[in-house]
C-alpha cells in the first residue's frame, strides 16, 4: 500500500511538472511567416480616442467609469488571412471587462454578421483569466445568440508579459493560436456553419458585466479603474483583402506541409492544451440545443 501511495505521488508531481513547463513544441511557427505592421500602417481608432494612446512600442487602450472603453479597426477588410497581436493583460480585479482581438463584418451586415473572436474574460485576484474563442455565422450573434464558444485557461500568466494570440482564417478552416500553439481548429463542414464574407480586424476593451465573469455574477467594479489593455505595436497581418483576386493565397500555411490542417506534432500540442486547460466546449454542453450547431 505504501508503495502505491508513493507511486501515485510520483505521477501527480510529474504531471504538475510537465504542466508547468507548458505544451510540447508545435514544431512550426506561422507567426514568423506573417508580415509585421505598425498600428498606423494597418489600423485606426474606432471609438474612444481619448482612451487610446500609441507610442513606438505599445498601443494602450483603457476603460473607466466615464467612458465606454476604446476600440480600433483595420483599414482594410479581408477574405482570408493570418491576424495576430501580442497582448498584455491587466492584473488584479478585472471582472466584467473584456479585452479582445477579433474579426467581424458587423458594420457591413448589421443584424446578419459573421465574427471570429479572441476574448479575454476579466477575473478576480488569484483566479486565472479565461480566453474565449468564438465563431458567429450570418447573424447567429445578433439577438438569437448561437455562439460556438470554446474556453481555455492559459499555461502562463498573461499579465506578466506579452504573448501572441492569432486567428488563421482560410476558405477551409479557422485555427486559433497562442504563441504559435494551436488551441482550436474549426474546419468548414458546410457553407451554413462557416464565415465566408469579408471581415475587418478589431481590438477593444469594454464592460460586459452582464455575462463576462462567472456568467455575470461578478460585475465590473470601477474602484479598480482604469482597466487597461496593452497591444504591442507590431501586429501580424498577412491576408487577402476583399478587393483582391479570388485566386489570392497570401496567408501563411497553418502547418509545415503547406497544405492546411495541422501536423501530427501540432495536433499533439493542441490535445495537450485541451487535456490540461480547456474549460468549456459548446459541443459538450448538455444545456445547448445542438440542432443549431450541426457541426457538433
Amino acid at each position: 500500500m505504501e508503495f502505491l501511495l508513493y507511486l501515485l505521488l510520483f505521477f501527480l508531481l510529474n504531471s504538475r511538472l510537465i504542466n508547468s513547463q507548458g505544451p510540447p513544441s508545435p514544431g512550426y511557427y506561422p507567426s514568423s511567416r506573417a508580415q509585421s505592421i505598425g498600428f498606423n500602417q494597418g489600423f485606426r481608432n474606432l471609438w474612444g480616442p481619448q482612451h487610446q494612446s500609441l507610442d513606438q512600442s505599445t498601443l494602450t487602450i483603457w476603460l473607466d467609469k466615464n467612458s465606454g472603453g476604446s476600440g480600433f479597426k483595420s483599414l482594410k477588410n479581408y477574405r482570408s488571412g493570418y491576424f495576430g497581436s501580442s497582448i498584455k493583460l491587466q492584473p488584479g480585479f478585472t471582472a466584467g471587462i473584456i479585452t479582445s482581438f477579433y474579426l467581424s463584418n458587423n458594420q457591413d451586415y448589421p443584424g446578419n454578421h459573421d465574427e471570429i473572436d479572441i476574448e479575454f474574460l476579466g477575473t478576480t485576484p488569484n483566479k486565472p483569466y479565461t480566453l474565449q474563442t468564438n465563431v458567429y455565422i450570418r447573424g447567429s450573434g445578433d439577438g438569437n445568440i448561437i455562439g460556438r464558444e470554446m474556453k481555455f485557461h492559459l499555461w502562463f500568466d498573461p499579465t506578466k508579459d506579452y504573448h501572441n494570440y492569432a486567428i488563421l482564417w482560410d476558405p477551409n478552416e479557422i485555427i486559433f493560436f497562442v504563441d504559435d500553439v494551436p488551441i482550436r481548429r474549426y474546419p468548414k463542414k458546410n457553407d451554413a456553419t462557416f464565415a465566408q464574407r469579408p471581415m475587418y480586424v478589431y481590438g477593444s476593451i469594454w464592460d460586459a458585466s452582464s455575462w463576462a465573469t462567472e456568467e455575470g455574477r461578478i460585475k465590473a467594479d470601477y474602484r479598480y479603474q482604469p482597466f487597461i489593455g496593452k497591444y504591442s505595436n507590431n501586429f501580424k497581418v498577412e491576408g487577402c483583402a476583399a478587393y483582391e483576386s479570388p485566386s489570392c493565397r497570401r496567408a501563411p500555411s497553418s502547418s509545415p506541409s503547406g497544405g492546411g490542417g495541422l501536423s501530427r506534432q501540432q495536433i499533439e500540442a493542441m490535445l495537450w492544451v485541451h487535456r490540461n486547460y480547456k474549460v468549456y466546449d459548446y459541443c459538450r454542453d448538455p444545456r445547448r440545443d445542438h440542432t443549431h450547431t450541426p457541426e457538433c
Side-chain angles (χ1 to χ4, degrees):
M1 177 62 101
E2 187 176 354
F3 172 75
L4 290 176
L5 287 173
Y6 277 122
L7 191 62
L8 177 61
L9 181 61
F10 170 80
F11 279 117
L12 286 172
L13 291 173
N14 192 49
S15 174
R16 289 182 180 180
L17 178 62
I18 291 171
N19 288 349
S20 69
Q21 292 173 343
S25 168
Y28 177 73
Y29 305 91
S31 67
S32 66
R33 298 167 181 260
Q35 173 184 227
S36 295
I37 63 170
F39 178 81
N40 288 330
Q41 288 177 273
F43 297 89
R44 64 173 179 84
N45 175 262
L46 183 60
W47 88 87
Q50 70 278 19
H51 288 81
Q52 179 174 307
S53 68
L54 178 68
D55 61 30
Q56 188 173 357
S57 63
T58 308
L59 170 71
T60 303
I61 58 177
W62 65 94
L63 166 71
D64 58 36
K65 65 180 179 181
N66 298 315
S67 77
S70 186
F72 59 91
K73 177 183 178 180
S74 61
L75 301 177
K76 297 188 290 188
N77 59 345
Y78 297 87
R79 285 188 290 103
S80 61
Y82 176 95
F83 310 97
S85 179
S86 289
I87 302 171
K88 184 179 180 181
L89 301 175
Q90 177 167 316
F93 191 103
T94 57
I97 308 302
I98 298 287
T99 308
S100 66
F101 185 72
Y102 63 102
L103 309 178
S104 180
N105 51 31
N106 64 315
Q107 293 179 298
D108 293 331
Y109 303 100
N112 184 34
H113 83 288
D114 309 298
E115 192 166 306
I116 303 170
D117 295 331
I118 291 175
E119 297 174 306
F120 298 95
L121 311 186
T123 187
T124 55
N126 301 317
K127 290 188 178 181
Y129 269 92
T130 297
L131 186 161
Q132 174 170 279
T133 64
N134 205 353
V135 179
Y136 287 131
I137 312 298
R138 292 188 175 272
S140 64
D142 299 302
N144 238 348
I145 298 296
I146 306 172
R148 293 168 169 83
E149 304 93 342
M150 193 177 285
K151 302 178 185 180
F152 304 86
H153 290 157
L154 296 164
W155 50 95
F156 52 83
D157 183 346
T159 73
K160 296 291 188 185
D161 205 350
Y162 289 87
H163 291 269
N164 188 60
Y165 306 92
I167 297 164
L168 194 151
W169 168 47
D170 71 25
N172 300 307
E173 62 189 354
I174 298 163
I175 302 177
F176 298 85
F177 293 91
V178 174
D179 290 338
D180 286 307
V181 175
I183 63 168
R184 178 182 183 182
R185 179 173 179 260
Y186 181 89
K188 179 181 179 181
K189 296 190 176 179
N190 57 61
D191 289 350
T193 62
F194 198 79
Q196 300 179 86
R197 298 176 296 179
M199 291 189 275
Y200 288 90
V201 189
Y202 295 84
S204 63
I205 189 166
W206 56 290
D207 186 333
S209 288
S210 64
W211 62 270
T213 305
E214 297 188 18
E215 298 184 343
R217 189 177 66 83
I218 305 177
K219 312 293 186 185
D221 186 337
Y222 285 90
R223 291 177 298 173
Y224 299 96
Q225 69 175 17
F227 302 105
I228 298 169
K230 291 182 177 289
Y231 299 72
S232 171
N233 190 22
N234 182 29
F235 294 85
K236 297 284 188 175
V237 177
E238 191 81 30
C240 294
Y243 59 79
E244 294 187 82
S245 165
S247 62
C248 173
R249 295 289 184 271
R250 188 170 295 123
S253 172
S254 58
S255 71
S257 71
L262 297 171
S263 69
R264 179 176 295 181
Q265 193 170 347
Q266 288 176 300
I267 291 171
E268 288 174 359
M270 183 172 70
L271 291 177
W272 181 93
V273 174
H274 283 210
R275 285 194 303 269
N276 294 290
Y277 290 96
K278 185 172 71 172
V279 295
Y280 178 81
D281 184 342
Y282 73 108
C283 282
R284 298 180 180 275
D285 187 343
R287 301 170 298 175
R288 299 287 295 268
D289 180 356
H290 292 296
T291 61
H292 296 302
T293 54
E295 71 278 2
C296 289

